[in-house]
Amino acid sequence: MNHKSSPALEQEFEHEPVPLSHRHSTRSVSAVWFGFPMILTNALFGGIITWHLGFWPALIAILLGNLVLFAYVGALSWFAGETGMNFALQAKRTFGTKGYILVSGFLSTVVIGWYAFQTGLTGTVINQTFGWNALAVTALAMVLYTGVTFLGVRALSVLGMIAAPLFVVLGLVALWLIGENHDFSTITQWHGSGSAAGAMSMGTAVTMVVAGFADSGTMTADFTRWSKNGRSAVIAAFSAFPLANVISYLFGVVIVAVGAAVDPASNGGNFLPMLMGHGALLSTIAFLFVFINLGSVCTHCLYNGAVGFSHLFSSKMRLWTLILGAIGGVLALAGVWSYFLEWLSLLGIVVPPFGAVMIVDLIFMAKVSEKRPTRRLRGSAFAAWAIGSLCAVLAHLAFPQFGEAVIGLVTAAISYTLIVKMQGKVTVQSMEKENA
């Protein structure tokens, strides 16, 4: 296949592994992932967790959630770096040449839900903070985010290089402004709100951290396939989890623990209000920050969805960027995005079992999966996913305090291992009978 491309629009390799000649530097791939979790939403979540649990328990929950994410996303990234395969190609090997359609289609749709949610959120945040028309801002955001994604993975890397430092700088400015009226030496003394109503457990907090990136984390191969090797891909994953993710959560933790948050129960550690009323320059930078920051999330989600659908329909990533960018934008403009959060979070619980099955199949059972003949649909993979998801949902309903996301991951991995080993024994026994 011809791999030549214009310098502006690089070949995206939707239907084949990225050849070594087209791989990017570790810094470039890390910038894609590092900039992704550096978002205002994480500061908000970090603050909410701290409001409920207190300073030290919140830190423990955030670190535990990030260790789970690193192990999970790191493993999937390693395989992507070693093979150059995107998520759809990986899923095809584990779930079958037809079965992967369900997996890739489901996840690609979920990430477009997140794209619509964050695009709508852009309009709402600008409206609440600056008074601009929410619909007009949402429409502008849709055009901007779709345009950046259309340029390809290198544009995501550049956006990450801008978004992450800007988040840190403005977060530090907010803390500096807070420091004028608050004593930071008291943050470790915050023991939580103590309200029994809607109290959060450690397990629920860990799940909140994991579920926040369950979808794009599972589809990490779309980004990390550009790495030169597995080690480079793991470094890129590490730059996001725990590094960038913990930093973005910590801003929210500190703001709530010091007592400076505006409505911490629902608004968490959102530091945008602290930047207002301090001159036109800071307000202008904060305005741009909203677009760059939430745009970083939206472009990554849209890229995941576009790569997924382009593979499903044997089409091009850029065509699907335009289609899905418009669909997600319409959902955002219709106001439907405000209803997404609960079901997106619930879907986040049933997504990690897909990745758990793929990790066991592609990495720990590599010798078996590499030699296995291709099949249209691999029932064993779907059965393990179903068991893991069922356990996660039951845990969500009955005992969320134990961390349903982790329960789903572990049970799916164990189930798949047992199913494959049982199948192997049955095959051996049937061969022995035939030879007898």
Side-chain angles (χ1 to χ4, degrees), residues 36 259 284:
F36 198 173
T284 303

Side-chain angles (χ1 to χ4, degrees), residues 68 72 349 352-357 360 384 387-389 391-392 402-418:
V68 172
Y72 179 67
I349 296 166
F354 280 127
V357 172
V360 173
I387 293 168
S389 295
C391 290
F402 293 115
E404 60 259 42
V406 179
I407 288 171
L409 269 171
V410 173
T411 50
I414 293 172
S415 300
Y416 185 71
T417 305
L418 293 174

Side-chain angles (χ1 to χ4, degrees), residues 140-193:
L140 174 63
M142 172 188 71
V143 174
L144 288 174
Y145 301 160
T146 304
V148 173
T149 310
F150 186 86
L151 296 175
V153 75
R154 282 202 186 276
L156 302 193
S157 177
V158 172
L159 187 61
M161 289 177 186
I162 299 168
L166 187 59
F167 177 92
V168 173
V169 169
L170 287 182
L172 289 173
V173 169
L175 292 181
W176 180 69
L177 292 169
I178 289 166
E180 293 179 348
N181 301 305
H182 295 80
D183 181 9
F184 284 110
S185 66
T186 63
I187 61 171
T188 58
Q189 296 166 27
W190 172 253
H191 299 296
S193 62

Side-chain angles (χ1 to χ4, degrees), residues 240-274:
F241 317 106
L243 204 56
N245 211 34
V246 167
I247 291 169
S248 57
Y249 268 87
L250 279 178
F251 279 104
V253 171
V254 171
I255 287 166
V256 168
V258 81
V262 179
D263 187 19
S266 58
N267 207 28
N270 176 12
F271 56 76
L272 201 61
M274 289 100 192

Side-chain angles (χ1 to χ4, degrees), residues 19-162:
L20 286 171
S21 58
H22 283 64
R23 303 288 182 96
H24 299 169
S25 67
T26 303
R27 189 187 70 161
S28 177
V29 181
S30 294
V32 174
W33 249 134
F34 185 75
F36 198 173
M38 281 280 193
I39 49 172
L40 213 48
T41 320
N42 274 358
L44 185 147
F45 287 151
I48 290 173
I49 292 170
T50 308
W51 171 253
H52 286 285
L53 297 184
F55 180 79
W56 292 113
L59 280 189
I60 293 167
I62 290 163
L63 288 173
L64 285 174
N66 274 281
L67 287 174
V68 172
L69 278 172
F70 174 62
Y72 179 67
V73 179
L76 290 168
S77 294
W78 178 83
F79 187 79
E82 288 292 301
T83 62
M85 294 165 70
N86 63 26
F87 173 75
L89 290 171
Q90 291 184 7
K92 194 176 279 188
R93 186 184 285 190
T94 298
F95 292 95
T97 54
K98 296 296 181 187
Y100 95 96
I101 294 172
L102 296 170
V103 182
S104 187
F106 175 62
L107 264 75
S108 297
T109 302
V110 171
V111 290
I112 295 306
W114 278 114
Y115 160 77
F117 177 80
Q118 299 283 358
T119 303
L121 191 63
T122 307
T124 299
V125 169
I126 292 290
N127 170 258
Q128 290 174 349
T129 312
F130 299 96
W132 287 36
N133 182 283
L135 286 179
V137 174
T138 301
L140 174 63
M142 172 188 71
V143 174
L144 288 174
Y145 301 160
T146 304
V148 173
T149 310
F150 186 86
L151 296 175
V153 75
R154 282 202 186 276
L156 302 193
S157 177
V158 172
L159 187 61
M161 289 177 186
I162 299 168

Side-chain angles (χ1 to χ4, degrees), residues 361 364-373 378 420:
D361 184 57
F364 294 104
M365 295 185 172
K367 290 180 181 177
V368 178
S369 61
E370 283 170 6
K371 296 173 185 174
R372 186 175 59 218
R378 295 197 61 248
V420 170

Side-chain angles (χ1 to χ4, degrees), residues 271-425:
F271 56 76
L272 201 61
M274 289 100 192
L275 302 173
M276 296 299 105
H278 297 283
L281 178 61
L282 189 56
S283 293
T284 303
I285 294 170
F287 179 84
L288 294 172
F289 167 70
V290 174
F291 281 96
I292 294 168
N293 194 255
L294 295 177
S296 178
V297 188
C298 291
T299 52
H300 284 72
C301 289
L302 185 55
Y303 184 81
N304 275 142
V307 171
F309 275 102
S310 66
H311 194 86
L312 287 171
F313 289 92
S314 299
S315 185
K316 291 288 183 185
M317 182 281 291
R318 290 186 172 88
L319 173 65
W320 279 98
T321 295
L322 298 175
I323 294 170
L324 297 173
I327 292 171
V330 168
L331 290 173
L333 287 167
V336 181
W337 68 272
S338 57
Y339 299 102
F340 282 179
L341 196 56
E342 284 186 18
W343 73 264
L344 284 172
S345 298
L346 181 63
L347 291 179
I349 296 166
V350 302
V351 167
F354 280 127
V357 172
M358 290 169 66
I359 288 168
V360 173
D361 184 57
L362 298 172
I363 299 174
F364 294 104
M365 295 185 172
K367 290 180 181 177
V368 178
S369 61
E370 283 170 6
K371 296 173 185 174
R372 186 175 59 218
T374 55
R375 290 177 58 182
R376 288 165 65 86
L377 190 132
R378 295 197 61 248
S380 55
F382 279 103
W385 166 78
I387 293 168
S389 295
L390 182 63
C391 290
V393 172
L394 289 174
H396 176 74
L397 297 172
F399 38 88
Q401 67 271 23
F402 293 115
E404 60 259 42
V406 179
I407 288 171
L409 269 171
V410 173
T411 50
I414 293 172
S415 300
Y416 185 71
T417 305
L418 293 174
I419 290 168
V420 170
K421 289 193 173 179
M422 284 166 60
Q423 281 182 331
K425 285 181 181 178

